[in-house]
Amino acid sequence: MTVLITVWGASPGVGKSTLCAGLSRWLADSGLRVDHFHEEEILTRPQFAAVAEEFKATGKVALGTLIAGTAKFVDAVAASGDDVVVADALMPFVPTLLAMGHGEEAIDAFMADLTAVLAPVRLVMVFLDGDADSALVRAAERDGEQWLDWYVGKLARYRVSPPVTDVPSAVQYLRRERAVTLAAVRREDWGLVVIERADELPPDEVLKVAQQGLRAWLGAVAGGEKSPRSE
């Protein structure tokens, strides 16, 4: 059974993409077949073509379209023979659902359907926790103040709650996004590895903690015992 590692974080700038790259190299060096699913590939992977077309046409994506795209993705994973997929900000789509104005009841129903579709893979989320305020500062230092203006403006155009108008309100929204994501994943009993204070740790330390947390799950790839549910 392929292991699907989906990597999320409390905020942009917390190190998701860096961790995904490090995990992909580590796993490949271990002799495993690895598919590194970059964040932007949601718009180019053929299994999510309908998702990309719907988003480009309307700025929204129907929940059924997300479920259908995920089902095609799972079929492709099964056919590929890959041992591990490392996905940068893919499932469970919670920020997308919040941006489209869905409430927590609708998100819970969607998560139940999504979890059923993902049953053929061994699923574990790595969540990089930390302070959204400091993580946004780090992202702005990396990408420039114009990036921060763009990011706040993007959130302001969405139907998020609480509404975003400036950096402090963006931080408040990100805290809600974090809480909703973790609560939804825990309710559906997904595998979960939370890396505390990820925004304060150097990338090599974040990678080391993630490696330790994932070893039990990855043992299943080599025919080990069924992996535990992790808090």
Side-chain angles (χ1 to χ4, degrees):
M1 181 182 287
T2 302
V3 178
L4 171 58
I5 303 169
T6 182
V7 180
W8 280 91
S11 169
V14 79
K16 290 187 293 83
S17 297
T18 300
L19 177 59
C20 286
L23 286 174
S24 298
R25 288 192 299 269
W26 170 61
L27 293 165
D29 289 346
S30 299
L32 298 175
R33 293 183 57 179
V34 181
D35 176 10
H36 182 180
F37 194 127
H38 295 266
E39 183 172 3
E40 64 274 11
E41 290 181 44
I42 187 70
L43 297 177
T44 58
R45 291 242 179 170
Q47 299 83 23
F48 290 100
V51 172
E53 290 170 8
E54 205 168 295
F55 179 75
K56 289 176 181 177
T58 68
K60 301 178 181 179
V61 181
L63 302 188
T65 305
L66 283 173
I67 293 294
T70 302
K72 292 179 180 178
F73 170 71
V74 170
D75 289 343
V77 168
S80 71
D82 289 329
D83 298 304
V84 185
V85 178
V86 178
D88 184 346
L90 187 59
M91 272 72 77
F93 306 114
V94 169
T96 298
L97 304 185
L98 290 173
M100 292 190 297
H102 291 291
E104 292 177 35
E105 185 175 342
I107 291 172
D108 284 347
F110 173 83
M111 282 291 294
D113 293 339
L114 181 67
T115 301
V117 167
L118 290 168
V121 300
R122 194 174 301 281
L123 178 63
V124 56
M125 171 188 280
V126 177
F127 191 88
L128 303 182
D129 212 353
D131 179 69
D133 202 348
S134 62
L136 283 180
V137 169
R138 188 163 76 171
E141 290 173 348
R142 179 191 65 202
D143 297 325
E145 285 297 326
Q146 70 279 4
W147 174 87
L148 188 56
D149 292 340
W150 168 83
Y151 181 70
V152 170
K154 182 182 76 167
L155 291 180
R157 292 191 297 273
Y158 293 155
R159 297 167 57 192
V160 298
S161 178
V164 172
T165 57
D166 52 18
V167 172
S169 58
V171 170
Q172 289 293 80
Y173 164 71
L174 286 169
R175 288 172 179 161
R176 178 177 182 238
E177 181 184 283
R178 170 196 178 276
V180 173
T181 300
L182 289 175
V185 165
R186 285 177 168 132
R187 273 192 295 270
E188 289 301 323
D189 201 24
W190 287 27
L192 181 60
V193 176
V194 177
I195 301 179
E196 306 286 351
R197 300 183 298 105
D199 56 316
E200 301 175 19
L201 301 174
D204 58 343
E205 185 64 23
V206 172
L207 177 59
K208 183 185 299 183
V209 175
Q211 289 168 338
Q212 293 170 347
L214 288 168
R215 287 190 190 280
W217 295 90
L218 294 168
V221 175
E225 296 180 357
K226 184 177 179 180
S227 57
R229 292 295 181 186
S230 173
E231 294 299 328

